Amino acid sequence: MVASPIIPYVAYIGDPILKLHEIEDDFVRMIVCAGPLLLVGLLSLIFVVVLRAKLVSKKTGVDIGHPKLDYLAAKVKSGARSFLKEEYKYLSLYVLVWAIILIVLFTADPKKPEADDARSDGVRSAFCMVLGAFLSGLAGFIGMSVATDGNVRTTVACAAGSLNDGLRVAFTAGAAMGFG
């Protein structure tokens, strides 16, 4: 076996720890492959909840005697939600059209015609695409909410404290938005 210049030769010595081709049950193989990904996803969501709680505990405009900051932040948040609502109207229509196309294409020409459930390929493919689009939209909504909440808190942290305090709040909001 030829050693890769990127991966050290030591990585090629010995048998693989996990031999997926030897697992006969499809469900078990799927759990072995998808389990770590689901675990990392759940840990990421827990991390987002912790960061969001930390962000919400920071001071707002009312806390430092400037309620106008909260008023402006509410206007920004309202505008962001209106934008997302309008965007998701068009996006849902786009996803619906592609879901119909997937149903038609994969039902008319199934990938494994000999399988008993071959005619449900289109519905399954469309469901996966719609679910992915929904979860992507949910992540966008959560991200926008965290970003707009972080804006006023970053401003307050800079006004009441120092630039370093503001950066800490901003990085907390950015991390929560990124992991969410």
Side-chain angles (χ1 to χ4, degrees):
M1 186 173 286
V2 178
S4 168
I6 298 172
I7 302 172
Y9 183 71
V10 177
Y12 292 109
I13 297 175
D15 290 332
I17 295 171
L18 188 61
K19 299 175 184 171
L20 289 177
H21 64 279
E22 292 180 359
I23 300 174
E24 293 181 17
D25 187 12
D26 287 339
F27 182 74
V28 172
R29 190 178 313 127
M30 181 187 68
I31 294 298
V32 167
C33 291
L37 298 174
L38 291 173
L39 180 65
V40 169
L42 288 174
L43 289 175
S44 175
L45 290 177
I46 291 169
F47 184 60
V48 167
V49 168
V50 170
L51 287 176
R52 176 110 166 83
K54 183 178 176 183
L55 181 67
V56 171
S57 71
K58 301 294 181 187
K59 293 179 181 179
T60 60
V62 172
D63 298 331
I64 64 165
H66 295 292
K68 186 152 185 146
L69 286 175
D70 292 334
Y71 172 76
L72 293 172
K75 291 292 186 187
V76 169
K77 191 167 194 154
S78 171
R81 285 194 176 167
S82 296
F83 165 76
L84 286 178
K85 185 178 177 185
E86 195 66 26
E87 181 183 23
Y88 290 165
K89 273 191 226 176
Y90 292 104
L91 185 63
S92 60
L93 181 63
Y94 179 80
V95 168
L96 179 67
V97 168
W98 277 105
I100 291 169
I101 291 171
L102 284 175
I103 289 171
V104 170
L105 288 177
F106 283 111
T107 303
D109 184 24
K111 289 298 170 194
K112 294 182 181 178
E114 68 279 354
D116 294 335
D117 59 350
R119 293 290 172 203
S120 66
D121 283 352
V123 174
R124 286 185 293 192
S125 297
F127 173 76
C128 289
M129 193 204 64
V130 169
L131 180 64
F134 172 76
L135 292 176
S136 177
L138 181 63
F141 181 79
I142 292 170
M144 187 70 83
S145 295
V146 170
T148 53
D149 285 345
N151 286 342
V152 70
R153 287 171 170 82
T154 300
T155 304
V156 168
C158 286
S162 66
L163 177 62
N164 189 31
D165 295 335
L167 287 173
R168 287 180 189 273
V169 173
F171 284 129
T172 300
M177 189 177 81
F179 277 95

